[in-house]
Amino acid sequence: MTSKAFHVYRDFPFFFQEELEEIIQAHEKVVFQKGEAILQEGKMANEYYILEKGLARSFVNDFNGNDVTTNFFTENEIIIDVSSLFQRIPTQENMVCITDCECWKLDFDVFQELFHKIPNLREWGRAWMSQQLFLYKQRSVEMFTLSATKRYLHLLEQKSQVIQFAPLKQIASYLGVTDTSLSRIRKELVSHPKKN
């Protein structure tokens, strides 16, 4: 399988070719329709997915019942609820497809077998997890240190598919602003692109 989605493993320099092949072969191709749930609040994650095509998001419902986007998943990223999958607890998030999505699924039990069999997969897991922790920490700091305009520009630069395909309301909740504020930011960027 030569899918670009598997660069998530191939970019790790220490895998032997036969280890990579075994890991890749353990994945199963699955397709989700636009609007379909990948994981629902209260359920336990039993697999993770590598997103080959499409766009998905995770969200929670706040204390007022508002839907707040916690993450966007773009092509070649892993769709996972780490806590639910590895601590074997129900998830607090919902994960839903914004567009039709093609994914490669790896079941938890299969992952566990490979994890114990292939030491390099453990090293990959540690490296991936530390990178994700860094990204989450960076995002939480940016919510307080960057203006809403800069947060929007950062999202545009890093995940342009989100701006193309996600509804304004979902993007606004991810950035921690109202729909109206986000509309104003977008208008200002169009009329004064050099100011930012």
Side-chain angles (χ1 to χ4, degrees), residues 6 28 34 61 90 112 130 135 146 176 192:
F6 294 119
E28 177 191 344
K34 177 181 176 177
N61 294 301
Q112 286 289 89
S130 61
L135 293 172
L146 295 184
H192 306 289

Side-chain angles (χ1 to χ4, degrees), residues 23-37:
I23 293 164
I24 290 168
Q25 289 298 323
H27 290 71
E28 177 191 344
K29 183 82 177 261
V30 288
V31 176
F32 294 98
Q33 303 302 308
K34 177 181 176 177
E36 194 174 345

Side-chain angles (χ1 to χ4, degrees), residues 14-195:
F14 303 111
F15 281 127
F16 294 110
Q17 187 58 37
E18 60 274 15
E19 292 174 337
L20 260 180
E21 285 169 15
E22 186 171 4
I23 293 164
I24 290 168
Q25 289 298 323
H27 290 71
E28 177 191 344
K29 183 82 177 261
V30 288
V31 176
F32 294 98
Q33 303 302 308
K34 177 181 176 177
E36 194 174 345
I38 296 170
L39 182 63
Q40 290 177 302
E41 180 184 358
K43 301 265 175 77
M44 191 159 62
N46 288 309
E47 58 274 310
Y48 68 80
Y49 302 86
I50 305 172
L51 182 58
E52 182 171 41
K53 284 187 189 160
L55 179 66
R57 74 174 181 126
S58 56
F59 68 93
V60 293
N61 294 301
D62 71 9
F63 53 89
N64 289 320
N66 299 312
D67 151 337
V68 179
T69 300
T70 53
N71 201 5
F72 288 105
F73 302 96
T74 55
E75 292 175 3
N76 309 322
E77 288 185 334
I78 294 178
I79 300 174
I80 189 171
D81 181 331
V82 171
S83 301
S84 179
L85 188 66
F86 295 113
Q87 294 179 0
R88 313 308 297 142
I89 56 173
T91 183
Q92 294 181 292
E93 293 183 285
N94 294 284
M95 296 182 176
V96 176
C97 297
I98 294 173
T99 64
D100 291 347
C101 291
E102 291 179 23
C103 302
W104 291 97
K105 178 176 85 167
L106 186 62
D107 286 316
F108 177 72
D109 292 339
V110 176
F111 175 80
Q112 286 289 89
E113 274 176 43
L114 293 170
F115 193 75
H116 293 296
K117 182 179 175 187
I118 304 171
N120 280 329
L121 186 59
R122 291 197 288 275
E123 290 309 310
W124 169 83
R126 271 193 275 274
W128 182 85
M129 195 73 80
S130 61
Q131 182 199 29
Q132 295 307 305
L133 190 58
F134 168 76
L135 293 172
Y136 276 109
K137 177 71 174 174
Q138 188 178 36
R139 172 166 149 68
S140 64
V141 168
E142 285 175 357
M143 289 297 280
F144 297 103
T145 58
L146 295 184
S147 68
T149 302
K150 287 217 166 76
R151 294 198 304 272
Y152 175 79
L153 288 169
H154 194 238
L155 181 63
L156 180 61
E157 183 186 306
Q158 300 217 309
K159 297 189 175 193
S160 59
Q161 308 97 305
V162 171
I163 310 300
Q164 278 180 278
F165 298 108
L168 184 78
K169 189 177 184 66
Q170 293 174 7
I171 299 169
S173 75
Y174 178 74
L175 295 172
V177 298
T178 63
D179 309 9
T180 312
S181 296
L182 183 54
S183 291
R184 191 182 66 248
I185 288 165
R186 289 167 85 154
K187 279 186 190 126
E188 283 171 9
L189 287 170
V190 170
S191 53
H192 306 289
K194 296 279 186 267
K195 277 177 69 179

